[in-house]
Amino acid sequence: INVCTQRSTRYVSAISAARGLHKSALDAAERPTPEETVTSSFGRFIQSVQPRHLSPTVLQRSKRMVLDSIGVGLLGSTTDVFELALQHCQHMYAPDDVSFVYGRQGMKLSPTLAAFVNGVAAHSMDFDDTWHPATHPSGAVLPALLAISDMLHNNSKPSGLDFLTAFNVGIEIQGRLMRFSNEAQNIPKRFHPPSVVGTLGSAAACACLLSLDRSQCSNALAIAASLAGAPMANAATQSKPLHIGNASRLGLEAALLASRGLEASPLVLDAVPGVAGFSAFYEDYAPHPISSLEEDEHSFLIEMQDIAFKRFPAHLGMHWIADAAAVVHKTLIGLKGGSISPNLVQDILLRVPLSKYINRPFPETEHQARHSFQFNACTALLDGEVTVQSFQPEALLRPELHALLSRVRLEHPHDNPANFNIMYGEVEVTLVSGDVLRGRCDTFYGHWRNPLSQESLQKKFCSNAGAVLSNERVERLIEAVEGLDHLDDCKPVLAQLQ
Amino acid sequence: MMLNFGAAVSSLNTSHLTDEVIRRSKRMILDTLGVGLLGTSTPVFNTVLQCSQRQQALEDSKVWGRPGLSLPPQYAAFVNGVAVHSMDFDDTWHPATHPSGAVLPAVLALAETLPVKPSGLELLLAFNVGIEVQGRLLRFSKEAHNIPKRFHPPAVVGVMGSVAATAKLLGLSAAQSIAALAIACSSAGAPMANAATQTKPLHMGNAARGGLEATQLALLSLEGNTQILDLESGFGAFYPDYVPHPLAEVTPTSHYRWVLEDQNIAQKRFPAHLGMHWVADAAIEARAKFLDKCPNADLSQIKKITLRVPTSRYVDCPLPVSEHQARHSFQFNCCTALLDGEVTVESFSKSQMNRSALKEMLLKVQLENPQDNHSSFEKMYCEIAVETTQGEMFTARCNTFYGHWRKPLSHEDLVRKFRANASTVLRAEVVEGIIYTVDHLDTNQDCSMLWSYMHFNNTFE
């Protein structure tokens, strides 16, 4: 029997292997060296990735994500839930309350709490980016990285490229983890994905920016696993944004704990029968190591799978039905002219995927409205589009809207699965006159198959950021993020957010 | 369901506490404080303390064993919770979880910040609400009855216990209690793989912290899903077989049947996973038989040791390297008990772990997993068979170790454990002060000296 480690050689000589009495002890000695585990391959990746590994496409796409995420966060700082989370954190101050808070000029919190509130802001209106398999990757990562950047001394702020590298590590890790489960391909049922992969993504990104060594990087991921996982039932409630806020905060905490030497399971990402690690969050879990950067085998997932940016603040599924309804609206205007009267409409049929949590016939709160096929379809039918303002209390209570809502029914065709890569939205409006108007959307504008143009993305940013920042700052931010990969340090971005 | 839980949490009052519940919960509180004090000397406690120190607040709560150091209440709950579970020395219940460590640190940290301090009885009530909610939730799943495989129970039910207890202490309305329970649920759950690592105690600390934070957020009017305990996509996400049922109705004058009354708790004699206690007791008995027969025997005469134990991957560790692994190793605890006639706090120190006699004996251990030995703290047993080079065989079996809920520690032994733990950190007068205060908790109007006592440390004086 070959025994690899030095420690066990002494024992083997003292016993007879043939008796097989000590098989379990020998098995332990022959356990694979760390380099072979999935967990350690992730630790290695995080530690060894360099700016030069970022291709132009990756750079371009991730800068777009950074810009969108900041804008969405700034707008989100005007929400009630943000104010609530902020009040909660303000009961705590710190000797190093150094990190900025979105939309609160001059206010500082400690880095982890800043990551928390800014993460809440990013997801507060469900306006942030969505990827495939489904999660909202940027909101979990960016706030923590910005908070760390504020924390670092003025003379040692990360360069723009270092920042982008860490950001991409955070995104990449999330993408890799989601590919360990087929279950992750569909609209989730048990755990809210940002709370599962987002926490580890944040930990990875922070570990990278803090230049932790490879074993610390692995430990950061493992510690983060113990902080991951929030049930879906709290999505479409006011608590949902806290899932992203906590993912960002707790990922940062995990990295900080790892930097101080805390250790956790070295097999957390591996599939160990009888003892669940990260696999605890999935029914079907099949992990594989991340390929080596040295042999040029690795390419970032964002390169192969682009991201969706939302045009209005609601669940991604709403975008298909809104675009389909907008087609019908246009036709109706063409037919009847002027504005749409509900009296013209006899019946509204929506053909959408089956998903309990976005099927809400009569939403009562803003959060519910953002997760209602019916609401978004009727809003788009009435107004021709869905916007930030569509979810204001006054808009929610419109009698014309209610009239339309009561005429909606849903169908769930077999060819329309709850999957952001495959689904479609169809709207069929039967008028009182007997005419039937149809609209269909296979790929909404903003989906990864039909990405927002740079102009559209910047327009969204201006509208969002402009809610709380001066035009000058808005312009400077666009410029700074656009040139992020050329900045010697990221102060130009941070300065506009302080 | 939620309406019912929320109503129960807010309606339970001190008159519902029975004598037995008061007696048992005072024992739990004493044991938890002692274990927590001992835990303040561990590296993991120091790590989380350093990380938490970047937070301060206008109203801070005392860190145990660190005179002069205070943190915002949720961070005090966090680090103190880590201390309690840092050595796996805290109490264990059935179905399996470590209930007190998630609740007590949060309750004490919160109590300290209140302008009007709660009476001892109010503290006991909050504590028991926290324990009760955990017990009820564990009974919603059959899977919960076995040694866990996916999620570490303190991280699942512990945070719900902490939120219930702190909501009780703050007198939240039924509606606010529901919101708090829902918010807490989003902080629940940590995978088992991190148990038997240095991160495990953080599961406890985070449960305490998360529950308190959820209560604070609910007070600020944050809302979650009001059906959180009813839904498979809610608390049910943590269990494959989730069948919730409502709590009994609570009226101001009704009798309430607490889970703690029907199901007592286990308190450990040494800091290791509960399963190790069966092994230790069986090994001690076999050793006694061996030495009885051969008074001057040399234990190296042992040729082979067979342990018949339940299947449990995460406490099957033939050659533990770290202290944490040793606390989760059938083999290690068996050999320590055979060599020394006992397992103690000291058994897990580096010097004891590195003994060559111990390492040699570890190689002689073989595990068997009989079919009738279930992975359940209610049903498991341990059988040991020691074979010597002379061909003799000594066997012993332990069905119920001393300290198990079927055979609880005597009051003297419980207090002895507390004294041994607390004395590593506190002077004798302070140790006795805590014993006295906890003993009189139900009659004391002012218990603020409890957290003051926990704030001392004789090595800092």
Side-chain angles (χ1 to χ4, degrees):
Chain A
I1 291 182
N2 281 331
V3 185
C4 357
T5 64
Q6 209 181 4
R7 205 187 303 131
S8 46
T9 320
R10 280 185 278 136
Y11 303 153
V12 172
S13 61
I15 49 135
S16 162
R19 288 207 304 242
L21 275 179
H22 321 290
K23 186 170 190 307
S24 56
L26 286 174
D27 282 352
E30 281 172 15
R31 213 174 284 135
T33 51
E35 271 68 68
E36 296 164 46
T37 67
V38 173
T39 308
S40 67
S41 77
F42 271 64
R44 186 195 6 95
F45 171 80
I46 295 167
Q47 183 265 327
S48 56
V49 75
Q50 296 296 313
R52 64 184 169 81
H53 294 117
L54 303 173
S55 70
T57 305
V58 169
L59 278 173
Q60 190 242 359
R61 286 180 176 178
S62 54
K63 284 192 296 185
R64 282 161 59 88
M65 289 157 76
V66 169
L67 186 72
D68 188 66
S69 191
I70 290 176
V72 153
L74 287 168
L75 182 65
S77 72
T78 61
T79 59
D80 284 342
V81 63
F82 174 81
E83 185 57 43
L84 190 158
L86 184 58
Q87 272 178 47
H88 171 69
C89 294
Q90 274 184 289
H91 289 302
M92 298 173 256
Y93 57 85
D96 67 342
D97 44 349
V98 290
S99 302
F100 78 86
V101 171
Y102 278 142
R104 296 288 187 281
Q105 197 171 339
M107 182 182 288
K108 299 292 168 84
L109 290 174
S110 65
T112 51
L113 295 179
F116 174 60
V117 300
N118 290 338
V120 167
H123 202 42
S124 60
M125 301 167 80
D126 225 326
F127 211 177
D128 45 332
D129 53 24
T130 310
W131 211 13
H132 179 70
T135 196
H136 308 289
S138 301
V141 171
L142 189 63
L145 292 181
L146 290 170
I148 292 178
S149 300
D150 262 340
M151 179 179 96
L152 295 172
H153 197 268
N154 241 346
N155 297 335
S156 48
K157 299 275 188 227
S159 70
L161 262 180
D162 285 340
F163 189 92
L164 274 169
T165 304
F167 178 80
N168 278 290
V169 163
I171 304 302
E172 178 72 0
I173 293 300
Q174 295 185 61
R176 293 284 164 189
L177 290 174
M178 285 189 293
R179 279 157 177 75
F180 289 173
S181 160
N182 284 328
E183 190 189 301
Q185 306 275 323
N186 303 320
I187 293 180
K189 289 185 195 166
R190 285 171 70 232
F191 291 104
H192 191 211
S195 71
V196 179
V197 298
T199 315
L200 272 75
S202 169
C206 295
C208 180
L209 196 64
L210 293 170
S211 302
L212 302 190
D213 70 41
R214 79 186 38 174
S215 125
Q216 287 172 324
C217 289
S218 288
N219 278 317
L221 286 173
I223 296 164
S226 279
L227 297 164
M232 274 309 287
N234 276 333
T237 76
Q238 205 190 22
S239 282
K240 185 187 190 189
L242 273 74
H243 292 183
I244 290 265
N246 276 325
S248 208
R249 174 217 299 200
L250 299 173
L252 172 50
E253 271 189 28
L256 291 173
L257 285 164
S259 77
R260 290 197 186 277
L262 185 69
E263 291 170 348
S265 169
L267 294 172
V268 74
L269 297 183
D270 296 76
V272 178
V275 183
F278 189 66
S279 59
F281 300 106
Y282 299 102
E283 302 288 318
D284 66 323
Y285 185 74
H288 21 272
I290 205 168
S291 42
S292 161
L293 286 160
E294 265 128 62
E295 282 119 59
D296 266 337
E297 289 168 6
H298 181 266
S299 59
F300 282 82
L301 288 168
I302 193 72
E303 181 123 32
M304 306 183 304
Q305 168 68 63
D306 200 357
I307 203 155
F309 294 116
K310 293 173 173 174
R311 289 191 345 263
F312 54 86
H315 181 275
L316 203 76
M318 309 302 107
H319 284 65
W320 276 271
I321 210 69
D323 276 15
V327 169
V328 176
H329 167 91
K330 204 161 166 208
T331 313
L332 256 177
I333 295 282
L335 268 179
K336 308 282 175 180
S339 57
I340 313 290
S341 166
N343 299 330
L344 298 170
V345 175
Q346 180 170 300
D347 177 76
I348 303 167
L349 174 63
L350 304 181
R351 291 198 184 89
V352 288
L354 182 62
S355 176
K356 253 196 313 195
Y357 117 99
I358 37 184
N359 173 356
R360 294 170 201 274
F362 295 103
E364 280 161 22
T365 66
E366 173 189 307
H367 289 266
Q368 287 175 0
R370 302 189 199 281
H371 299 77
S372 163
F373 278 129
Q374 295 91 334
F375 179 88
N376 287 271
C378 293
T379 299
L381 270 174
L382 269 179
D383 307 334
E385 57 174 357
V386 183
T387 65
V388 173
Q389 284 70 34
S390 306
F391 301 93
Q392 308 282 0
E394 318 83 61
L396 281 177
L397 297 170
R398 289 185 291 171
E400 334 61 289
L401 184 69
H402 266 260
L404 284 182
L405 281 173
S406 58
R407 293 174 171 94
V408 177
R409 38 186 195 101
L410 300 192
E411 253 177 35
H412 307 296
H414 287 303
D415 70 341
N416 200 354
N419 175 309
F420 292 143
N421 220 9
I422 303 175
M423 69 175 275
Y424 62 85
E426 238 173 51
V427 175
E428 200 173 278
V429 176
T430 306
L431 300 179
V432 170
S433 61
D435 291 322
V436 178
L437 307 174
R438 278 190 198 87
R440 175 169 171 133
C441 172
D442 286 297
T443 304
F444 66 85
Y445 178 46
H447 190 267
W448 45 82
R449 287 191 301 259
N450 187 10
L452 292 187
S453 66
Q454 198 60 9
E455 291 72 45
S456 296
L457 190 74
Q458 285 181 358
K459 190 159 161 237
K460 176 186 173 185
F461 179 80
C462 286
S463 169
N464 287 346
V468 293
L469 295 182
S470 68
N471 286 341
E472 212 187 335
R473 286 196 173 213
V474 173
E475 287 305 319
R476 290 214 191 117
L477 262 174
I478 292 179
E479 213 183 294
V481 173
E482 184 61 34
L484 194 51
D485 43 335
H486 302 295
L487 291 180
D488 281 335
D489 72 50
C490 51
K491 277 190 276 205
V493 174
L494 294 171
Q496 308 313 323
L497 295 165
Q498 301 293 314
Chain B
M1 180 80 47
M2 280 300 289
L3 292 173
N4 162 264
F5 259 74
V9 166
S10 65
S11 315
L12 283 166
N13 63 49
T14 53
S15 68
H16 292 111
L17 294 171
T18 65
D19 288 340
E20 186 60 15
V21 163
I22 290 177
R23 188 189 73 88
R24 288 181 175 180
S25 52
K26 284 195 293 189
R27 282 164 58 93
M28 287 156 77
I29 290 172
L30 187 71
D31 188 59
T32 302
L33 291 175
V35 153
L37 284 167
L38 183 64
T40 62
S41 58
T42 57
V44 63
F45 176 80
N46 271 301
T47 300
V48 297
L49 185 57
Q50 276 173 49
C51 274
S52 300
Q53 271 183 277
R54 62 180 354 121
Q55 321 290 2
Q56 279 168 29
L58 293 167
E59 295 149 350
D60 284 336
S61 303
K62 295 178 168 56
V63 174
W64 295 349
R66 290 290 184 281
L69 204 57
S70 292
L71 290 172
Q74 54 275 69
Y75 286 93
F78 173 56
V79 302
N80 293 338
V82 167
V84 168
H85 201 43
S86 60
M87 300 167 82
D88 226 325
F89 211 176
D90 45 330
D91 52 28
T92 310
W93 213 12
H94 178 71
T97 196
H98 308 287
S100 301
V103 173
L104 189 63
V107 166
L108 292 182
L110 178 60
E112 198 183 324
T113 64
L114 298 178
V116 178
K117 306 288 183 259
S119 68
L121 207 52
E122 285 164 341
L123 271 179
L124 271 169
L125 177 64
F127 179 80
N128 278 292
V129 166
I131 302 301
E132 177 72 3
V133 164
Q134 294 185 65
R136 294 288 167 191
L137 291 175
L138 284 166
R139 281 155 175 74
F140 290 172
S141 158
K142 286 203 160 43
E143 189 191 293
H145 284 66
N146 304 321
I147 293 178
K149 287 185 193 165
R150 287 173 71 231
F151 289 106
H152 191 212
V156 180
V157 296
V159 68
M160 306 304 280
S162 168
V163 71
T166 50
K168 186 73 224 164
L169 196 65
L170 285 176
L172 261 55
S173 69
Q176 282 175 322
S177 300
I178 292 171
L181 283 163
I183 296 163
C185 200
S186 279
S187 294
M192 277 307 288
N194 276 334
T197 76
Q198 206 188 22
T199 291
K200 186 186 189 189
L202 274 73
H203 294 181
M204 192 64 79
N206 280 322
R209 174 210 316 199
L212 175 48
E213 200 167 82
T215 290
Q216 292 168 326
L217 288 166
L219 265 176
L220 288 171
S221 306
L222 183 69
E223 292 167 352
N225 191 315
T226 55
Q227 307 277 302
I228 200 79
L229 296 183
D230 300 78
L231 298 169
E232 249 177 49
S233 61
F235 191 67
F238 298 103
Y239 299 101
D241 63 331
Y242 182 69
V243 182
H245 20 273
L247 295 178
E249 210 192 305
V250 178
T251 71
T253 51
S254 64
H255 173 76
Y256 186 78
R257 187 106 198 135
W258 302 80
V259 175
L260 187 60
E261 221 150 11
D262 292 333
Q263 171 66 61
N264 202 351
I265 204 150
Q267 276 141 343
K268 293 174 174 174
R269 291 190 344 263
F270 55 86
H273 180 274
L274 202 76
M276 310 304 106
H277 284 65
W278 277 270
V279 169
D281 276 14
I284 289 167
E285 198 188 316
R287 176 181 192 271
K289 288 183 181 176
F290 179 32
L291 293 177
D292 212 41
K293 186 101 189 284
C294 334
N296 295 314
D298 178 3
L299 290 161
S300 62
Q301 281 170 39
I302 293 176
K303 187 172 82 168
K304 177 179 170 186
I305 305 160
T306 307
L307 283 181
R308 293 188 191 96
V309 287
T311 310
S312 180
R313 184 75 211 235
Y314 109 100
V315 283
D316 171 0
C317 187
L319 296 172
V321 169
S322 69
E323 170 190 308
H324 290 268
Q325 285 176 343
R327 303 190 198 281
H328 299 77
S329 163
F330 281 134
Q331 296 90 333
F332 179 87
N333 286 271
C334 164
C335 294
T336 298
L338 279 174
L339 274 178
D340 306 335
E342 58 176 356
V343 183
T344 65
V345 173
E346 257 311 289
S347 306
F348 302 93
S349 66
K350 270 200 172 47
S351 50
Q352 291 295 88
M353 281 183 66
N354 284 331
R355 290 183 287 170
S356 48
L358 181 67
K359 290 182 170 177
E360 275 160 27
M361 195 178 283
L362 279 172
L363 294 167
K364 300 173 184 174
V365 179
Q366 194 171 337
L367 295 194
E368 277 173 19
N369 307 123
Q371 283 229 324
D372 72 340
N373 202 346
H374 302 284
S375 299
S376 148
F377 293 143
E378 181 57 48
K379 298 185 189 160
M380 67 173 278
Y381 64 85
C382 173
E383 235 172 51
I384 185 172
V386 177
E387 206 182 304
T388 67
T389 46
Q390 326 298 92
E392 288 181 292
M393 184 85 97
F394 298 95
T395 63
R397 175 168 170 139
C398 173
N399 286 322
T400 304
F401 68 85
Y402 177 47
H404 190 269
W405 46 82
R406 290 191 300 259
K407 199 196 278 184
L409 294 184
S410 67
H411 184 69
E412 295 70 40
D413 285 336
L414 188 75
V415 173
R416 187 174 302 136
K417 175 187 172 185
F418 175 80
R419 279 205 185 96
N421 287 342
S423 307
T424 60
V425 176
L426 302 176
R427 295 190 324 264
E429 311 96 81
V430 181
V431 173
E432 298 308 313
I434 298 176
I435 294 173
Y436 182 88
T437 307
V438 173
D439 208 34
H440 292 84
L441 206 49
D442 47 331
T443 50
N444 210 327
Q445 277 309 300
D446 174 18
C447 323
S448 51
M449 68 276 285
L450 197 55
W451 45 85
S452 298
Y453 285 148
M454 291 298 286
H455 199 52
F456 283 96
N457 192 322
N458 58 17
T459 63
F460 283 54
E461 285 158 24

